[in-house]
Amino acid sequence: PNYFHYLDMAHKGGLEIATAHLGSDYYTGRLWDRLDRYKPRRDFRRAVSYFEQCKDVNNDCMEGLGLSLLQLGEKEKAIKALKKADAVVTLWVIYQFGSNGFNKNPKKANSYKSRLDQLYKKDPKSTYLLIREIHTILKFSKLKKGDGDALKEFAFGFRNPNPTGFPLDLELMVKLMKKAVKAKNADAAETLGSFYLEGKNVRRDK
């Protein structure tokens, strides 16, 4: 297929952004729905192999490497890569919510939360990434109060298909979505209903 043919040529020619794209494609599996026959299934090992090749020149590759390693259960290597990438939001939510097989660790979570607060105070309008982080901070204050909308939004964060930001953790997503339903969030209830109907992330209703 033309897409992979030319992207692979660019990758082999040393263009790190092409290598990053290939890592991202295998992390997300996103081309599975777009192309006929030539569709990469989600393949975290292949994602790791590409991210490894661009991690030293591209911070997103380092974060993608960490998130891919999480999905393979290589937790120590994953955390090491995420720290090198300075993936503050990712590290915070891992320890705040106990995602991906980690135990909750309030002390570590608070240290990353403090870092986010410092970024916000330093420059509230710097980059898109920082805007995302600020939004996460503001939503978290509502989350602690049991706000259904905040619970739903954090739940969807763990469905994140991209190799940046929240780690992928579908079990935790469903758990938070159920809490959002208890908090009387209608959108969360509709979403959970569709999950059970279609068998997405939960056992399908018969």
Side-chain angles (χ1 to χ4, degrees):
N2 289 332
Y3 174 82
F4 286 107
H5 173 69
Y6 289 113
L7 198 62
D8 189 55
M9 284 181 64
H11 155 65
K12 289 177 179 176
L15 188 64
E16 57 87 13
I17 193 169
T19 307
H21 274 308
L22 286 166
S24 181
D25 287 340
Y26 280 107
Y27 180 89
T28 63
R30 62 182 163 211
L31 294 177
W32 181 250
D33 296 323
R34 289 189 197 170
L35 301 176
D36 224 6
R37 290 193 300 162
Y38 305 107
K39 309 169 184 175
R41 295 180 184 272
R42 181 173 266 167
D43 188 329
F44 296 117
R45 293 200 180 279
R46 283 196 176 186
V48 166
S49 72
Y50 283 111
F51 286 137
E52 281 275 10
Q53 296 176 65
C54 59
K55 66 181 181 180
D56 294 325
V57 292
N58 186 314
N59 210 46
D60 286 346
C61 284
M62 184 64 80
E63 185 171 1
L65 174 62
L67 288 170
S68 300
L69 288 168
L70 271 184
Q71 299 306 313
L72 295 173
E74 298 185 41
K75 296 197 290 185
E76 289 186 11
K77 290 182 179 179
I79 292 299
K80 184 177 180 180
L82 291 170
K83 286 181 177 179
K84 283 187 176 180
D86 199 25
V88 185
V89 169
T90 307
L91 290 162
W92 172 50
V93 296
I94 285 173
Y95 292 117
Q96 179 65 49
F97 294 93
S99 74
N100 302 89
F102 283 86
N103 293 322
K104 291 182 180 180
N105 189 320
K107 185 177 180 180
K108 288 184 177 180
N110 287 336
S111 70
Y112 288 113
K113 177 64 163 54
S114 296
R115 177 85 186 283
L116 289 173
D117 291 337
Q118 290 169 8
L119 289 172
Y120 174 54
K121 291 176 182 177
K122 184 177 179 180
D123 188 353
K125 297 181 180 180
S126 63
T127 64
Y128 168 77
L129 181 62
L130 189 52
I131 290 171
R132 184 190 69 190
E133 292 166 346
I134 293 166
H135 181 70
T136 303
I137 294 169
L138 297 176
K139 278 289 181 181
F140 183 63
S141 64
K142 293 184 178 181
L143 180 73
K144 291 194 294 185
K145 298 177 182 177
D147 180 86
D149 183 57
L151 282 162
K152 180 197 71 174
E153 188 155 336
F154 271 86
F156 274 124
F158 290 103
R159 194 176 69 169
N160 178 27
N162 298 310
T164 54
F166 276 43
L168 180 69
D169 189 333
L170 299 178
E171 184 177 343
L172 182 55
M173 179 202 65
V174 171
K175 182 179 178 180
L176 290 172
M177 197 69 74
K178 288 180 177 180
K179 287 186 177 182
V181 171
K182 288 184 179 180
K184 303 187 185 304
N185 185 278
D187 287 340
E190 190 276 333
T191 299
L192 265 182
S194 68
F195 284 173
Y196 281 104
L197 177 65
E198 299 170 18
K200 286 185 178 179
N201 312 311
V202 293
R203 183 176 297 177
R204 185 175 183 177
D205 281 343
K206 295 183 178 179

